[in-house]
Amino acid sequence: MKAMYLVIEPDSPVPIFQQIHDGIVEGILQGRLNHGDLLLPVRKVAVEYGVNPATVKKAYDQLQEEGLVRTEPRSGTVITQPTKPTNEQRGQLRASLRTTVARALAQGFSPEEIHKTIDDLAISVS
């Protein structure tokens, strides 16, 4: 089982389940969590971080819906092998980016600034 190093900020406007989700995604991205790694059980994460088990389960369920983990009864939750994105995943990405781009445009960012930011992020995470 892989220890998780999550930073949970209870006073953050970001819901705790989303902080857990995002922390695991970052762990995968940074190579701290790899294909085949077993995540800590929901109850153990809940106790370790002082949150409700339903909150952790919600984060794990979202990760499973996104195809980043799979949960096997009695085995636990495991990081999955990256695969070719599905049409559903493409649609989810598009919807998420649409909201982010709309907010950025409403805040006064130019399309060029948004493209540059996306390019910079893609380079920094690869």
PDB file of all heavy atoms in Angstrom, residues 65-66 85-102 118:
ATOM      1  N   GLU A  65     -14.390   6.923 -11.872  1.00  0.00           N
ATOM      2  CA  GLU A  65     -15.170   7.385 -13.026  1.00  0.00           C
ATOM      3  C   GLU A  65     -14.259   7.957 -14.109  1.00  0.00           C
ATOM      4  O   GLU A  65     -14.552   7.843 -15.303  1.00  0.00           O
ATOM      5  CB  GLU A  65     -16.179   8.450 -12.595  1.00  0.00           C
ATOM      6  CG  GLU A  65     -17.357   7.915 -11.820  1.00  0.00           C
ATOM      7  CD  GLU A  65     -18.252   9.024 -11.286  1.00  0.00           C
ATOM      8  OE1 GLU A  65     -18.224  10.147 -11.837  1.00  0.00           O
ATOM      9  OE2 GLU A  65     -18.980   8.757 -10.316  1.00  0.00           O
ATOM     10  N   GLU A  66     -13.154   8.557 -13.693  1.00  0.00           N
ATOM     11  CA  GLU A  66     -12.209   9.152 -14.635  1.00  0.00           C
ATOM     12  C   GLU A  66     -11.230   8.129 -15.194  1.00  0.00           C
ATOM     13  O   GLU A  66     -10.395   8.456 -16.038  1.00  0.00           O
ATOM     14  CB  GLU A  66     -11.440  10.283 -13.939  1.00  0.00           C
ATOM     15  CG  GLU A  66     -12.346  11.440 -13.554  1.00  0.00           C
ATOM     16  CD  GLU A  66     -11.694  12.431 -12.608  1.00  0.00           C
ATOM     17  OE1 GLU A  66     -10.588  12.165 -12.072  1.00  0.00           O
ATOM     18  OE2 GLU A  66     -12.305  13.492 -12.381  1.00  0.00           O
ATOM     19  N   PRO A  85      -7.499   7.907 -24.262  1.00  0.00           N
ATOM     20  CA  PRO A  85      -8.720   8.542 -23.751  1.00  0.00           C
ATOM     21  C   PRO A  85      -9.958   8.115 -24.539  1.00  0.00           C
ATOM     22  O   PRO A  85      -9.917   7.962 -25.757  1.00  0.00           O
ATOM     23  CB  PRO A  85      -8.462  10.040 -23.954  1.00  0.00           C
ATOM     24  CG  PRO A  85      -6.979  10.166 -24.034  1.00  0.00           C
ATOM     25  CD  PRO A  85      -6.487   8.889 -24.652  1.00  0.00           C
ATOM     26  N   THR A  86     -11.049   7.937 -23.815  1.00  0.00           N
ATOM     27  CA  THR A  86     -12.323   7.585 -24.430  1.00  0.00           C
ATOM     28  C   THR A  86     -13.021   8.865 -24.896  1.00  0.00           C
ATOM     29  O   THR A  86     -12.652   9.974 -24.504  1.00  0.00           O
ATOM     30  CB  THR A  86     -13.239   6.871 -23.427  1.00  0.00           C
ATOM     31  OG1 THR A  86     -13.560   7.796 -22.373  1.00  0.00           O
ATOM     32  CG2 THR A  86     -12.580   5.626 -22.849  1.00  0.00           C
ATOM     33  N   ASN A  87     -14.049   8.686 -25.716  1.00  0.00           N
ATOM     34  CA  ASN A  87     -14.842   9.838 -26.154  1.00  0.00           C
ATOM     35  C   ASN A  87     -15.500  10.524 -24.958  1.00  0.00           C
ATOM     36  O   ASN A  87     -15.618  11.744 -24.927  1.00  0.00           O
ATOM     37  CB  ASN A  87     -15.887   9.422 -27.183  1.00  0.00           C
ATOM     38  CG  ASN A  87     -15.260   9.125 -28.531  1.00  0.00           C
ATOM     39  OD1 ASN A  87     -14.168   9.599 -28.840  1.00  0.00           O
ATOM     40  ND2 ASN A  87     -15.939   8.326 -29.330  1.00  0.00           N
ATOM     41  N   GLU A  88     -15.913   9.736 -23.974  1.00  0.00           N
ATOM     42  CA  GLU A  88     -16.506  10.309 -22.764  1.00  0.00           C
ATOM     43  C   GLU A  88     -15.481  11.171 -22.026  1.00  0.00           C
ATOM     44  O   GLU A  88     -15.789  12.276 -21.571  1.00  0.00           O
ATOM     45  CB  GLU A  88     -17.031   9.204 -21.844  1.00  0.00           C
ATOM     46  CG  GLU A  88     -17.704   9.751 -20.604  1.00  0.00           C
ATOM     47  CD  GLU A  88     -18.243   8.663 -19.688  1.00  0.00           C
ATOM     48  OE1 GLU A  88     -18.345   7.494 -20.122  1.00  0.00           O
ATOM     49  OE2 GLU A  88     -18.560   8.991 -18.539  1.00  0.00           O
ATOM     50  N   GLN A  89     -14.255  10.671 -21.906  1.00  0.00           N
ATOM     51  CA  GLN A  89     -13.204  11.447 -21.241  1.00  0.00           C
ATOM     52  C   GLN A  89     -12.888  12.725 -22.019  1.00  0.00           C
ATOM     53  O   GLN A  89     -12.652  13.769 -21.429  1.00  0.00           O
ATOM     54  CB  GLN A  89     -11.950  10.598 -21.056  1.00  0.00           C
ATOM     55  CG  GLN A  89     -12.130   9.506 -20.018  1.00  0.00           C
ATOM     56  CD  GLN A  89     -10.993   8.514 -20.015  1.00  0.00           C
ATOM     57  OE1 GLN A  89     -10.428   8.172 -21.052  1.00  0.00           O
ATOM     58  NE2 GLN A  89     -10.659   8.010 -18.835  1.00  0.00           N
ATOM     59  N   ARG A  90     -12.899  12.627 -23.329  1.00  0.00           N
ATOM     60  CA  ARG A  90     -12.685  13.825 -24.155  1.00  0.00           C
ATOM     61  C   ARG A  90     -13.780  14.856 -23.894  1.00  0.00           C
ATOM     62  O   ARG A  90     -13.524  16.048 -23.790  1.00  0.00           O
ATOM     63  CB  ARG A  90     -12.628  13.463 -25.633  1.00  0.00           C
ATOM     64  CG  ARG A  90     -11.332  12.825 -26.061  1.00  0.00           C
ATOM     65  CD  ARG A  90     -11.279  12.604 -27.588  1.00  0.00           C
ATOM     66  NE  ARG A  90     -10.008  12.029 -27.946  1.00  0.00           N
ATOM     67  CZ  ARG A  90      -9.745  10.730 -27.962  1.00  0.00           C
ATOM     68  NH1 ARG A  90     -10.698   9.853 -27.655  1.00  0.00           N
ATOM     69  NH2 ARG A  90      -8.563  10.279 -28.294  1.00  0.00           N
ATOM     70  N   GLY A  91     -15.017  14.380 -23.788  1.00  0.00           N
ATOM     71  CA  GLY A  91     -16.142  15.276 -23.499  1.00  0.00           C
ATOM     72  C   GLY A  91     -16.017  15.919 -22.137  1.00  0.00           C
ATOM     73  O   GLY A  91     -16.298  17.119 -21.967  1.00  0.00           O
ATOM     74  N   GLN A  92     -15.572  15.139 -21.135  1.00  0.00           N
ATOM     75  CA  GLN A  92     -15.375  15.677 -19.787  1.00  0.00           C
ATOM     76  C   GLN A  92     -14.284  16.739 -19.786  1.00  0.00           C
ATOM     77  O   GLN A  92     -14.425  17.789 -19.149  1.00  0.00           O
ATOM     78  CB  GLN A  92     -15.021  14.561 -18.812  1.00  0.00           C
ATOM     79  CG  GLN A  92     -16.154  13.605 -18.531  1.00  0.00           C
ATOM     80  CD  GLN A  92     -15.704  12.360 -17.777  1.00  0.00           C
ATOM     81  OE1 GLN A  92     -14.517  12.073 -17.648  1.00  0.00           O
ATOM     82  NE2 GLN A  92     -16.676  11.600 -17.299  1.00  0.00           N
ATOM     83  N   LEU A  93     -13.204  16.468 -20.508  1.00  0.00           N
ATOM     84  CA  LEU A  93     -12.115  17.441 -20.600  1.00  0.00           C
ATOM     85  C   LEU A  93     -12.608  18.730 -21.239  1.00  0.00           C
ATOM     86  O   LEU A  93     -12.353  19.823 -20.753  1.00  0.00           O
ATOM     87  CB  LEU A  93     -10.938  16.868 -21.393  1.00  0.00           C
ATOM     88  CG  LEU A  93      -9.796  17.840 -21.690  1.00  0.00           C
ATOM     89  CD1 LEU A  93      -9.136  18.320 -20.402  1.00  0.00           C
ATOM     90  CD2 LEU A  93      -8.781  17.196 -22.617  1.00  0.00           C
ATOM     91  N   ARG A  94     -13.333  18.582 -22.324  1.00  0.00           N
ATOM     92  CA  ARG A  94     -13.849  19.747 -23.045  1.00  0.00           C
ATOM     93  C   ARG A  94     -14.767  20.579 -22.141  1.00  0.00           C
ATOM     94  O   ARG A  94     -14.667  21.802 -22.095  1.00  0.00           O
ATOM     95  CB  ARG A  94     -14.584  19.302 -24.304  1.00  0.00           C
ATOM     96  CG  ARG A  94     -15.042  20.434 -25.171  1.00  0.00           C
ATOM     97  CD  ARG A  94     -15.643  19.908 -26.478  1.00  0.00           C
ATOM     98  NE  ARG A  94     -16.095  20.974 -27.308  1.00  0.00           N
ATOM     99  CZ  ARG A  94     -15.329  21.709 -28.112  1.00  0.00           C
ATOM    100  NH1 ARG A  94     -14.035  21.453 -28.190  1.00  0.00           N
ATOM    101  NH2 ARG A  94     -15.839  22.670 -28.829  1.00  0.00           N
ATOM    102  N   ALA A  95     -15.664  19.920 -21.415  1.00  0.00           N
ATOM    103  CA  ALA A  95     -16.590  20.630 -20.529  1.00  0.00           C
ATOM    104  C   ALA A  95     -15.839  21.358 -19.421  1.00  0.00           C
ATOM    105  O   ALA A  95     -16.132  22.518 -19.105  1.00  0.00           O
ATOM    106  CB  ALA A  95     -17.609  19.654 -19.935  1.00  0.00           C
ATOM    107  N   SER A  96     -14.849  20.686 -18.848  1.00  0.00           N
ATOM    108  CA  SER A  96     -14.064  21.299 -17.778  1.00  0.00           C
ATOM    109  C   SER A  96     -13.272  22.502 -18.287  1.00  0.00           C
ATOM    110  O   SER A  96     -13.255  23.562 -17.660  1.00  0.00           O
ATOM    111  CB  SER A  96     -13.117  20.251 -17.188  1.00  0.00           C
ATOM    112  OG  SER A  96     -12.307  20.816 -16.194  1.00  0.00           O
ATOM    113  N   LEU A  97     -12.634  22.328 -19.438  1.00  0.00           N
ATOM    114  CA  LEU A  97     -11.862  23.434 -20.009  1.00  0.00           C
ATOM    115  C   LEU A  97     -12.763  24.582 -20.440  1.00  0.00           C
ATOM    116  O   LEU A  97     -12.396  25.752 -20.296  1.00  0.00           O
ATOM    117  CB  LEU A  97     -11.022  22.950 -21.186  1.00  0.00           C
ATOM    118  CG  LEU A  97      -9.809  22.097 -20.829  1.00  0.00           C
ATOM    119  CD1 LEU A  97      -9.130  21.585 -22.096  1.00  0.00           C
ATOM    120  CD2 LEU A  97      -8.833  22.860 -19.963  1.00  0.00           C
ATOM    121  N   ARG A  98     -13.948  24.257 -20.938  1.00  0.00           N
ATOM    122  CA  ARG A  98     -14.887  25.299 -21.363  1.00  0.00           C
ATOM    123  C   ARG A  98     -15.210  26.231 -20.196  1.00  0.00           C
ATOM    124  O   ARG A  98     -15.183  27.445 -20.329  1.00  0.00           O
ATOM    125  CB  ARG A  98     -16.154  24.669 -21.927  1.00  0.00           C
ATOM    126  CG  ARG A  98     -17.176  25.684 -22.402  1.00  0.00           C
ATOM    127  CD  ARG A  98     -18.430  24.988 -22.949  1.00  0.00           C
ATOM    128  NE  ARG A  98     -19.425  25.935 -23.314  1.00  0.00           N
ATOM    129  CZ  ARG A  98     -19.500  26.558 -24.490  1.00  0.00           C
ATOM    130  NH1 ARG A  98     -18.614  26.292 -25.420  1.00  0.00           N
ATOM    131  NH2 ARG A  98     -20.453  27.428 -24.743  1.00  0.00           N
ATOM    132  N   THR A  99     -15.497  25.641 -19.043  1.00  0.00           N
ATOM    133  CA  THR A  99     -15.812  26.439 -17.854  1.00  0.00           C
ATOM    134  C   THR A  99     -14.614  27.282 -17.436  1.00  0.00           C
ATOM    135  O   THR A  99     -14.746  28.471 -17.136  1.00  0.00           O
ATOM    136  CB  THR A  99     -16.247  25.516 -16.695  1.00  0.00           C
ATOM    137  OG1 THR A  99     -17.375  24.764 -17.122  1.00  0.00           O
ATOM    138  CG2 THR A  99     -16.574  26.300 -15.449  1.00  0.00           C
ATOM    139  N   THR A 100     -13.441  26.682 -17.440  1.00  0.00           N
ATOM    140  CA  THR A 100     -12.231  27.396 -17.046  1.00  0.00           C
ATOM    141  C   THR A 100     -11.912  28.527 -18.012  1.00  0.00           C
ATOM    142  O   THR A 100     -11.590  29.651 -17.603  1.00  0.00           O
ATOM    143  CB  THR A 100     -11.038  26.420 -16.945  1.00  0.00           C
ATOM    144  OG1 THR A 100     -11.360  25.427 -15.968  1.00  0.00           O
ATOM    145  CG2 THR A 100      -9.760  27.131 -16.550  1.00  0.00           C
ATOM    146  N   VAL A 101     -12.016  28.259 -19.310  1.00  0.00           N
ATOM    147  CA  VAL A 101     -11.742  29.278 -20.324  1.00  0.00           C
ATOM    148  C   VAL A 101     -12.778  30.403 -20.233  1.00  0.00           C
ATOM    149  O   VAL A 101     -12.423  31.583 -20.308  1.00  0.00           O
ATOM    150  CB  VAL A 101     -11.698  28.658 -21.738  1.00  0.00           C
ATOM    151  CG1 VAL A 101     -11.702  29.727 -22.816  1.00  0.00           C
ATOM    152  CG2 VAL A 101     -10.468  27.772 -21.876  1.00  0.00           C
ATOM    153  N   ALA A 102     -14.041  30.056 -20.047  1.00  0.00           N
ATOM    154  CA  ALA A 102     -15.081  31.079 -19.922  1.00  0.00           C
ATOM    155  C   ALA A 102     -14.800  31.994 -18.729  1.00  0.00           C
ATOM    156  O   ALA A 102     -14.919  33.222 -18.832  1.00  0.00           O
ATOM    157  CB  ALA A 102     -16.454  30.423 -19.786  1.00  0.00           C
ATOM    158  N   ILE A 118      -1.842  27.311 -20.865  1.00  0.00           N
ATOM    159  CA  ILE A 118      -2.041  25.874 -21.105  1.00  0.00           C
ATOM    160  C   ILE A 118      -0.743  25.245 -21.623  1.00  0.00           C
ATOM    161  O   ILE A 118      -0.329  24.180 -21.155  1.00  0.00           O
ATOM    162  CB  ILE A 118      -3.204  25.625 -22.081  1.00  0.00           C
ATOM    163  CG1 ILE A 118      -4.526  25.986 -21.388  1.00  0.00           C
ATOM    164  CG2 ILE A 118      -3.225  24.161 -22.545  1.00  0.00           C
ATOM    165  CD1 ILE A 118      -5.726  26.002 -22.308  1.00  0.00           C
TER     166      ILE A 118
END
